[in-house]
């Protein structure tokens, strides 16, 4: 199979999987990103310059607000990507894991540390030059899904991601880069649209943050998880089995 046909095959599986799981994915995205969007929007409204306190307290308050925004964003992204990985790869003969089950079994600590380290390395790579930043992004983007799918440790997750992408760089870049660029563009457009319609208050920020993430996070997460499974299969000869669609809800007649 040529690289082009393989890449097209991955995109075809991404599209089929997203369509099959759309209701499940969007429902989970609403549960995660509506409340977190409100938290992000609320924190963005904090104006430390208006506080009648010392400069050192203003700096501390600003840093605390920024830390809270980053933490809430990381929690949503980490939880959602982990939830998608668990949903798409649970055993065929088991029911789809519910929200509570997912919340109890995701490796929050390891995934959050992985995200923080990934962002730090990506920032350093981008500051150095654009090319190192792209290399970090492509080679290490699968660390989070690997940690959840294979229960790897933090550094083992990064090494596993590098090992999976090695020899398949253009394949991985052909999925990760376009999905990230398009997802960011759609997110930005939706946030700007919310501000154009609703102004620049809390409601507009909340709507923009929530709708942007709900619209883009499911597809991006599906793309990353399916790319990870594809590379695991090519590297090891097998991979966690992808569940093509959630189980249908039995009708009263069938019950």
């Amino acid at each position: 199979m040529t690289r082009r046909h393989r890449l097209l095959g991955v995109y075809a599986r991404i599209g089929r999987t997203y369509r099959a799981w759309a209701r499940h994915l969007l429902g989970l995205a609403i549960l995660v990103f509506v409340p977190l969007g409100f938290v992000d929007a609320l924190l963005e409204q904090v104006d430390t310059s208006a506080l009648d306190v010392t400069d050192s307290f203003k700096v501390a308050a600003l840093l605390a607000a920024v830390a809270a925004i980053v933490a809430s964003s990381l929690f949503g992204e980490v939880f959602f990507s982990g939830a998608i990985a668990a949903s798409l790869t649970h055993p065929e003969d088991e029911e789809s894991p519910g929200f509570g089950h997912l919340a109890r079994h995701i490796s929050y600590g390891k995934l959050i540390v992985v995200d923080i380290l990934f962002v730090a390395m990506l920032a350093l790579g981008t500051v150095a030059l654009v090319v190192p930043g792209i290399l970090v992004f492509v080679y290490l983007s699968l660390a989070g899904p690997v940690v959840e799918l294979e229960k790897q440790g933090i550094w083992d997750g990064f090494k596993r991601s590098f090992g999976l992408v090695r020899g398949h760089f253009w394949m991985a870049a052909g999925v990760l880069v376009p999905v990230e660029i398009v997802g960011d563009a759609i997110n930005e457009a939706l946030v700007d649209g919310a501000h154009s319609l609703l102004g620049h208050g809390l409601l507009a920020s909340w709507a923009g943050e929530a709708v942007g993430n709900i619209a883009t996070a499911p597809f991006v997460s599906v793309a990353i998880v399916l790319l990870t499974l594809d590379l695991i299969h090519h590297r090891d000869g097998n991979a966690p089995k992808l569940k093509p669609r959630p189980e249908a809800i039995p009708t009263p007649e069938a019950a």
Side-chain angles (χ1 to χ4, degrees):
M1 181 184 295
T2 65
R3 182 187 300 163
R4 178 173 175 271
H5 283 95
R6 184 181 163 201
L7 180 60
L8 292 175
V10 171
Y11 271 108
R13 290 196 297 276
I14 291 170
R16 289 195 300 269
T17 303
Y18 179 79
R19 287 196 302 271
W21 285 79
R23 291 179 61 186
H24 180 91
L25 297 172
L26 292 173
L28 185 58
I30 290 169
L31 287 173
V32 172
F33 291 113
V34 167
L36 287 179
F38 178 76
V39 173
D40 289 342
L42 192 63
L43 291 171
E44 287 177 4
Q45 302 300 308
V46 175
D47 182 9
T48 56
S49 64
L51 299 175
D52 187 17
V53 292
T54 64
D55 289 340
S56 60
F57 185 86
K58 290 180 182 179
V59 171
L62 177 60
L63 292 175
V66 170
I69 291 172
V70 171
S72 65
S73 298
L74 278 176
F75 177 83
E77 293 173 5
V78 167
F79 178 88
F80 196 73
S81 62
I84 296 306
S87 293
L88 295 181
T89 60
H90 70 281
E92 181 71 28
D93 58 350
E94 294 183 8
E95 295 182 359
S96 297
F99 188 82
H101 175 88
L102 294 171
R104 291 191 299 272
H105 289 84
I106 290 174
S107 306
Y108 293 104
K110 289 192 293 185
L111 288 172
I112 289 173
V113 173
V114 165
D115 272 6
I116 292 172
L117 291 173
F118 173 73
V119 170
M121 288 185 283
L122 183 60
L124 289 174
T126 304
V127 167
L129 278 174
V130 174
V131 172
I134 293 175
L135 294 176
V136 170
F137 174 71
V138 174
Y139 274 108
L140 302 183
S141 282
L142 308 185
V146 163
V147 165
E148 184 58 38
L149 290 169
E150 298 184 338
K151 305 304 179 186
Q152 298 272 4
I154 294 168
W155 290 113
D156 287 339
F158 284 113
K159 290 189 291 184
R160 176 65 162 163
S161 177
F162 182 87
L164 291 174
V165 174
R166 186 175 55 193
H168 303 275
F169 175 84
W170 293 111
M171 170 70 186
V175 174
L176 294 171
V177 174
V179 165
E180 184 68 22
I181 291 174
V182 173
D184 284 348
I186 293 173
N187 202 327
E188 284 290 325
L190 291 172
V191 170
D192 291 343
H195 285 298
S196 297
L197 291 173
L198 302 173
H200 295 276
L202 176 62
L203 179 61
S205 297
W206 182 14
E209 291 287 338
V211 173
N213 282 313
I214 291 168
T216 59
F219 189 86
V220 172
S221 296
V222 168
I224 293 173
V225 170
L226 264 65
L227 173 64
T228 304
L229 294 176
D230 180 86
L231 294 180
I232 290 174
H233 176 76
H234 277 266
R235 180 68 60 186
D236 299 343
N238 55 30
K241 187 176 181 181
L242 174 67
K243 193 169 183 63
R245 64 184 63 249
E247 294 84 355
I249 299 173
T251 62
E253 291 80 6

